[in-house]
Amino acid sequence: MSPLLSEDRIHAHGIVIEGIRDPAGFIRAAEAAAKLGRPVVCLKLGRSEGGQRAALAHTASLAGSADATRAVLRQVGVRQVRDLDELLEAMTLLARYPSGLGQGIVFMSVSGAACGLIADLADDAGMRPVVLSRATTAAISDLMPDVSVGNPLDVALAGDRPGLFRACVEVVVRDPVVDTVVIALNVPHAETADGTAFYLDQVSAGAAVGAAGKSWLALTLTSGGLDPKW
């Protein structure tokens, strides 16, 4: 990683390792990256007994203690991921938002089932979605009477009311506890012109988040290519 620190075009570093043979050198490199404001994301191989055997067969050396490596990574602020997809996604996200997304994250979707899945995934990751203020909850209730307001926020009525999703976003970003809005789409691409227009209506709401000076991102809850119109 060290030679890459002099490359100005790099905004985040991703590494795949079996072990750390030179902890002091690794720490120096990670600290240098941190001083440059560049996040480092790591995929540690050999976390399981089988992985250890594979590493030994591959490199003729032990992969090192997963617990010890985790401790070193945590010490220098390196984020650890579980697979290559996570590595690439984390690097993409952190290259844009090197300081992270903050603690005040609000998830929004147009599917109640998606909101349930998001809540489960957030809990698995140890995340605690921020609680919206009473003023925000009341304002959203005015837009969607008789709908339970929470985080994740279900805006299912957006399918019948164009512009409703953006209106809800504009309310959410005025809440001082909110740092980031995550817009979750329940499929990776729309197969019809109407479907694409529906998704564009949601994603375009991100402009309202950016105008408020806050972070936002859109994600799909299934794997696959994104709708090319995005």
Side-chain angles (χ1 to χ4, degrees), residues 18 50-63:
E18 292 178 340
Q52 290 271 350
R53 289 197 300 269
L56 181 60
H58 171 222
T59 63
S61 64
L62 292 175

Side-chain angles (χ1 to χ4, degrees), residues 104 106-108 130-144 149-150 153 155 161 163-181 183 205-212 214:
V106 175
F107 298 94
M108 299 180 64
V130 68
V131 177
L132 297 172
S133 69
R134 290 184 180 180
T136 299
T137 300
I140 293 175
S141 293
D142 289 341
L143 294 170
M144 299 189 295
V149 178
L153 178 60
V155 195
R161 294 170 54 187
L164 175 61
F165 196 91
R166 185 184 181 105
C168 288
V169 168
E170 290 173 345
V171 170
V172 166
V173 295
R174 290 199 297 266
D175 194 321
V177 303
V178 174
D179 299 315
T180 300
V181 176
I183 300 172
V209 186
K214 299 190 177 183

